[in-house]
Amino acid sequence: MNKILEVDQTRFELLLRLGDNALILGHRLSEWSADAPALEEDIALTNVALDLIGHARLWLAAAGQAEGQGRSEDDLAYLRDVRDWRNLHLVELPNGDFARTMVRQFFFDSYHLLLLEGLACGRDTEIAGIAGKVVKEVRYHLRHSSNWVIRLGDGTEESHARMQQALDDCAPCVPELFEADQIYLDLESLSIVPEIHLLKSEWEHQVSGVLAEATLQMPEILSAHTGGRQGLHSEYLGYILAEMQFLQRAYPGASW
Amino acid sequence: MPMTTQAQVLELLDSVADPEIPTLSINDLGIIRDVEVHGTGQDIHVVITITPTYSGCPATSVIEADIRDVIGRAGIQNVSVKNRLQPAWTTDWITDRGRQRLLEAGISPPACCASHPLPDDTDVVCPYCQSHNTQVLSRFGSAPCKALWRCSDCLEPFDYFKPH
């Protein structure tokens, strides 16, 4: 009995991590709405945002069920405080310029695709089902962000310099992607998630290929921002939640 | 009291239009997985299983409401709509009639089979002049399912239904 409860709690944590990454990055991308450098890009970024918010809904609804306390996806999205969020530091990083947004997206998409492909072949049928569905959308995301990294990196002097700066800005968030805590290791031993060392080596291989084509250098990572999965966040997340949760906090249960 | 059969329910569902692309019915879109009819007369209970398309597509909840509405107007109040995620929806399930209707609405249907991980879309047809000499303008379009293309012969921009 206790064993089953532990597995449910572990699944709950995994589902929160997946849902929170999708929701926070989706929210970040939605900030580009009506503000992107070109109309096509405005549409692209908001489409990716919409996909991610859709993913968050699926993951968080499943998280609410795994938890078994009757919380809906909306309760989890709108009524949790900073310390209860499980997303990575990378996704809460502010948009910055378009170069920063694209490098952040490229790092995340590369990780996201590999993780989802692993989950889709994993032993947990519910998680594999959701992963198998959303992975198709994420392939489009990665193609989009990779194309921009190459175009801007191997572009003008200005675009190259901005991309190199963006890599410097995002690189400290990379080690956290491949940090395996006890929860991850437990899920790994249950064959629910892909092995972390394979995820890391495949990510490095794919990212370095695109960066080479973009004539960009992956900076040396001197310090790392970690702890997101344990609820330790940068100050940025608080501002995101203030905006995202305002309505439900001010007018509980509001709907239209 | 006449019997309601699975075929009759399917026929009713054929009048439910996709809210984003109303030229398509939800049958054309290939999202209906299963229709079960339990009981008869006043006790009839219809269970419809659908596979949603894109995760964030706002049409999904509208489709559910429209299904209840259409079945309800036929006198059946007890309707359940279930979602099935696996296997994931694919544009390979769009029917031939659906593809034809897309073309007529000025939307180019998916050019290739979606089972390939990331289709190259090399043979996209212009819905206006049927030329295959076309180019992509943007991989993302006015709805999650669409991309923006242009015909290099008649020069018209058009929507392309992405293989998915």
Side-chain angles (χ1 to χ4, degrees):
Chain A
M1 184 63 194
N2 281 337
K3 189 75 189 161
I4 293 170
L5 282 177
E6 276 168 33
V7 171
D8 273 350
Q9 186 59 31
T10 309
R11 286 180 84 248
F12 174 61
E13 283 290 328
L14 172 66
L15 290 161
L16 278 186
R17 291 172 184 189
L18 293 162
D20 289 355
N21 282 335
L23 185 53
I24 298 302
L25 188 57
H27 186 86
R28 272 289 186 233
L29 289 176
S30 76
E31 293 169 1
W32 276 106
S33 182
D35 217 13
L39 182 60
E40 288 78 5
E41 204 42 45
D42 208 289
I43 293 169
L45 290 173
T46 41
N47 261 291
V48 177
L50 188 63
D51 284 345
L52 288 168
I53 291 166
H55 302 175
R57 210 172 157 179
L58 292 169
W59 294 125
L60 293 180
Q65 280 169 5
E67 186 193 33
Q69 306 284 323
R71 286 203 279 181
S72 69
E73 67 265 36
D74 282 346
D75 295 334
L76 289 168
Y78 295 124
L79 302 176
R80 268 183 306 151
D81 227 330
V82 177
R83 286 298 296 265
D84 294 325
W85 283 73
R86 298 290 180 254
N87 59 280
L88 298 160
H89 279 256
L90 180 66
V91 298
E92 62 194 53
L93 211 59
N95 287 338
D97 59 5
F98 188 72
R100 157 102 68 91
T101 292
M102 274 306 141
V103 169
R104 183 186 65 197
Q105 195 65 32
F106 170 62
F107 280 176
F108 183 76
D109 291 343
S110 306
Y111 162 78
H112 201 195
L113 181 59
L114 293 167
L115 176 63
L116 290 170
E117 284 176 342
L119 292 171
C121 333
R123 283 255 182 93
D124 187 303
T125 48
E126 187 189 15
I127 291 172
I130 299 174
K133 173 177 172 51
V134 305
V135 73
K136 296 168 69 161
E137 294 159 23
V138 172
R139 288 199 183 99
Y140 276 97
H141 302 174
L142 177 61
R143 173 158 74 179
H144 185 70
S145 57
S146 311
N147 284 348
W148 271 116
V149 166
I150 294 166
R151 248 170 100 177
L152 295 172
D154 191 17
T156 64
E157 207 175 304
E158 165 94 13
S159 72
H160 180 89
R162 283 182 181 238
M163 289 301 278
Q164 198 57 58
Q165 179 61 51
L167 285 169
D168 292 347
D169 297 342
C170 295
C173 298
V174 169
E176 189 186 20
L177 303 180
F178 308 107
E179 246 180 17
D181 59 357
Q182 194 54 49
I183 289 171
Y184 196 93
L185 295 174
D186 288 348
L187 291 161
E188 212 183 77
S189 68
L190 294 166
S191 303
I192 291 174
V193 295
E195 288 179 43
I196 197 77
H197 71 277
L198 292 177
L199 199 63
K200 182 169 191 273
S201 59
E202 191 53 36
W203 186 91
E204 284 169 349
H205 174 70
Q206 293 189 9
V207 165
S208 65
V210 171
L211 292 185
E213 200 179 337
T215 72
L216 293 164
Q217 295 284 331
M218 185 71 180
E220 196 185 342
I221 298 168
L222 299 170
S223 67
H225 303 323
T226 62
R229 294 187 185 96
Q230 287 74 43
L232 302 172
H233 295 280
S234 66
E235 67 170 313
Y236 304 126
L237 185 62
Y239 288 98
I240 295 174
L241 296 185
E243 189 179 329
M244 193 173 81
Q245 297 183 334
F246 167 78
L247 198 87
Q248 284 302 325
R249 299 284 195 179
Y251 306 96
S255 66
W256 64 87
Chain B
M1 182 70 69
M3 282 268 289
T4 302
T5 64
Q6 196 188 34
Q8 284 168 319
V9 174
L10 276 169
E11 204 177 311
L12 286 171
L13 292 176
D14 207 28
S15 66
V16 177
D18 174 71
E20 291 274 356
I21 311 173
T23 185
L24 290 184
S25 82
I26 57 174
N27 285 349
D28 294 329
L29 199 56
I31 63 169
I32 297 165
R33 293 280 73 72
D34 198 19
V35 171
E36 294 166 51
V37 180
H38 302 289
T40 51
Q42 294 298 315
D43 298 327
I44 197 161
H45 177 211
V46 173
V47 184
I48 295 158
T49 307
I50 61 174
T51 300
T53 58
Y54 282 77
S55 319
C57 189
T60 310
S61 53
V62 180
I63 289 174
E64 273 194 42
D66 288 351
I67 288 175
R68 286 176 199 287
D69 191 42
V70 162
I71 307 284
R73 270 189 280 129
I76 302 166
Q77 301 309 327
N78 194 356
V79 183
S80 311
V81 181
K82 287 192 201 165
N83 277 319
R84 187 187 294 166
L85 296 184
Q86 207 175 20
W89 176 80
T90 159
T91 46
D92 295 348
W93 294 347
I94 296 177
T95 62
D96 287 343
R97 186 184 69 176
R99 294 176 64 88
Q100 187 56 37
R101 284 179 167 179
L102 282 171
L103 262 181
E104 285 161 12
I107 301 166
S108 189
C112 55
C113 175
S115 52
H116 188 277
L118 238 191
D120 272 338
D121 314 316
T122 45
D123 200 23
V124 175
V125 65
C126 168
Y128 301 112
C129 74
Q130 280 69 52
S131 166
H132 288 252
N133 184 17
T134 55
Q135 63 183 109
V136 64
L137 293 180
S138 173
R139 296 276 176 197
F140 295 87
S142 56
C145 57
K146 291 188 276 188
L148 201 57
W149 281 60
R150 181 170 57 203
C151 178
S152 305
D153 283 333
C154 75
L155 304 180
E156 283 292 327
F158 63 88
D159 275 335
Y160 172 53
F161 206 114
K162 296 188 272 200
H164 185 76

